Amino acid sequence: MDFAENTTGLLVLRPGDPGYDGELAGFQTGFDRWPDVVFAASSADDVTAAVRYAAGHALPVGVQATGHGSAGASRGGVLVTTKRMDGVVVDSGARTVRVQAGVRWGQVVAAAEPYGLAPLNGSAPGVGAVSYTLGGGLGILAREFGYAADHVRALDVVTADGRQRHVTRESDPDLYWALLGAGHDFGIVTGLEIGLVPVRGLYGGSLAFDGREVDPAALLRAYEEWTRTVPDGLTSSFAAVPYPDLPALPPQLRGRYVVSVRVAYTGGDGDEAVAALRGSGPVLADSLREMPYSESHTIHSDPDFPHAYYGDSAVLSELDVTAAGELLARTGPDAGGPMCVVQISHLGGALARPAPNSVPYREGRFLLRLLSVGERETARAVVDPALALLADTTLGRARNFAFGAGDRNEGLYDPATRARLAGLKSAYDPANLFGGPCGLSACRAASRRSGRGPSPGRP
């Protein structure tokens, strides 16, 4: 890609250096990262220098843009931060956008909007575009257009041999396939070229119900039945959130158990499409409306402040509403445990179409995400047994939604995909510099067990 390279010098930080702690700060505050060396990259050349240093000192290397997707606490090794790499270039004729490694989705939405185009971004504008896409990228228009990874034209990546590669499906089909699904396990991606879609606006928002006045399990059953009737152009999710009674929250949310359905639809008959849901019970709040795409982040209104959270996910072949109802009971406000947020996303449509990448479980009909705010072990004691309730219909886990549980590798890929990834890993990263297809933290754990440690020298 033709972004101008930084020539002002590479910032390198170690523990105790001024700016070290600030450089590590990100959206996820629940897990400490204490790398031996931080490379604050401003260019692909900076990333290359970091990878070559890590390889030369036999150190594992990871990458952080916005800090949303931290797999968990870690110590040692090399960390490359890419937040300074924030270039965005839209080619309206080709309907593509080129983004550098530190770009957030809100920047891309704003850059594409003047041309009547939209990216396949997620619900939160502060999420990093590159890592989101490398993990698949389940967006607000996913059932109509598929995963964001399905629309990648090219990737710029620094591989374990310290080479900068421009990867396309035609030039490097195996590496292209592996990167789009297994992400930074095969290198550090410094830029992407992604296709845009011709969407100026949509019908979207949420229908919210008071979970103490309406049975959440009954609402979930109605939602599941409704999803069987909707067109592929309608993407939706069911959420249950027990809000604490805090002055910082809006009065209509304080102390309430809010159960909602969020909708994004590019069809012209939005009110008709959601009519059955509006009849499910007394509505607490209704924000469904026609909106410009630039306001699509208001559909979910995800929190935009850094905080600690832990959780995991399950891709489901079907939604067992009886088991899911029990999950709601165990995670609701009367369960007595930590605050838990449940989200169930409707899959299918374009998400089920085959694509030349390693994003797994395309046959899934729903994605269950369970997130808890608080200490990891306390949260895990609730999250893991709750997810086990749907084990009979669970195909696997979604890598982008292993909220702090990314150090657990089971279920992230189906056996065939995992086997192919393992073979390609031995070709592109035989020293396991970036960690295995199971994630960076496993590499660090293996490094500690094998006795490899940081070099005392400075880069």
Side-chain angles (χ1 to χ4, degrees):
M1 295 183 183
D2 59 351
F3 294 110
E5 295 294 337
N6 174 276
T7 58
T8 60
L10 172 58
L11 176 62
V12 180
L13 300 167
R14 287 180 176 269
D17 287 346
Y20 175 89
D21 291 341
E23 190 65 24
L24 297 178
F27 188 80
Q28 164 66 277
T29 64
F31 305 104
D32 292 329
R33 305 186 77 166
W34 295 100
D36 295 306
V37 186
V38 180
F39 287 79
S42 297
S43 68
D45 286 346
D46 290 348
V47 174
T48 301
V51 171
R52 289 176 177 173
Y53 174 82
H57 293 81
L59 293 171
V61 59
V63 62
Q64 174 177 306
T66 66
H68 279 73
S70 176
S74 62
R75 289 185 177 274
V78 172
L79 180 69
V80 182
T81 60
T82 62
K83 56 190 173 184
R84 293 167 181 79
M85 300 173 65
D86 60 355
V88 179
V89 177
V90 173
D91 184 334
S92 59
R95 291 183 179 176
T96 61
V97 63
R98 290 175 294 136
V99 301
Q100 287 184 297
V103 169
R104 299 168 186 251
W105 275 125
Q107 297 170 255
V108 187
V109 172
E113 182 186 26
Y115 305 103
L117 300 171
L120 295 179
N121 56 290
S123 60
V127 167
V130 169
S131 289
Y132 161 98
T133 303
L134 298 182
L138 181 66
I140 56 176
L141 300 178
R143 278 178 41 80
E144 182 171 5
F145 295 106
Y147 290 99
D150 301 345
H151 295 259
V152 172
R153 309 285 182 86
L155 309 93
D156 288 330
V157 59
V158 180
T159 46
D161 55 6
R163 289 179 53 193
Q164 295 182 25
R165 302 175 187 244
H166 184 70
V167 176
T168 67
R169 183 182 178 186
E170 292 73 29
S171 69
D172 298 275
D174 286 337
L175 185 56
Y176 175 90
W177 178 89
L179 286 168
L180 295 172
H184 295 300
D185 289 342
F186 285 82
I188 297 182
V189 173
T190 60
L192 293 178
E193 182 178 344
I194 316 173
L196 300 171
V197 295
V199 174
R200 291 183 177 273
L202 52 79
Y203 177 87
S206 69
L207 283 174
F209 304 84
D210 189 326
R212 295 189 182 277
E213 295 182 0
V214 179
D215 179 11
L219 282 174
L220 180 59
R221 186 178 297 276
Y223 172 73
E224 192 279 335
E225 292 174 354
W226 173 74
T227 61
R228 296 178 181 274
T229 69
V230 301
D232 288 353
L234 194 154
T235 304
S236 68
S237 63
F238 172 98
V241 184
Y243 287 96
D245 189 1
L246 296 176
L249 291 172
Q252 69 271 24
L253 298 180
R254 289 175 54 182
R256 288 187 182 271
Y257 182 34
V258 179
V259 182
S260 61
V261 176
R262 286 81 67 90
V263 171
Y265 182 42
T266 58
D269 55 345
D271 283 335
E272 180 180 342
V274 300
L277 287 178
R278 282 198 170 108
S280 298
V283 175
L284 178 66
D286 183 345
S287 65
L288 289 167
R289 67 194 189 281
E290 296 288 340
M291 65 174 70
Y293 195 81
S294 59
E295 296 179 9
S296 60
H297 64 279
T298 65
I299 295 172
H300 291 75
S301 295
D302 292 328
D304 59 0
F305 53 87
H307 59 284
Y309 48 94
Y310 172 84
D312 211 341
S313 59
V315 183
L316 307 174
S317 59
E318 295 290 340
L319 182 59
D320 181 338
V321 291
T322 300
E326 175 63 22
L327 182 146
L328 290 173
R330 291 195 188 186
T331 58
D334 299 325
M339 175 185 172
C340 290
V341 176
V342 178
Q343 179 166 314
I344 300 173
S345 298
H346 183 208
L347 305 180
L351 295 166
R353 299 170 189 164
N357 56 52
S358 54
V359 180
Y361 307 123
R362 289 179 177 267
E363 70 272 30
R365 285 201 64 233
F366 292 91
L367 170 66
L368 167 63
R369 286 173 263 179
L370 185 55
L371 184 150
S372 180
V373 177
E375 295 293 329
R376 172 174 173 153
E377 294 309 315
T378 301
R380 189 167 180 173
V382 175
V383 169
D384 290 356
L387 289 173
L389 292 169
L390 288 100
D392 289 346
T393 56
T394 295
L395 299 170
R397 301 161 61 217
R399 181 163 180 165
N400 271 1
F401 303 111
F403 303 106
D407 56 343
R408 298 166 51 207
N409 60 26
E410 64 274 12
L412 291 178
Y413 301 98
D414 60 88
T417 299
R418 186 178 180 84
R420 183 178 175 188
L421 286 172
L424 293 173
K425 181 70 170 176
S426 66
Y428 287 100
D429 185 15
N432 205 26
L433 191 69
F434 300 108
C438 54
L440 174 64
S441 58
C443 172
R444 286 180 169 159
S447 171
R448 289 193 294 271
R449 289 194 297 270
S450 66
R452 286 191 303 165
S455 166
R458 299 179 72 92

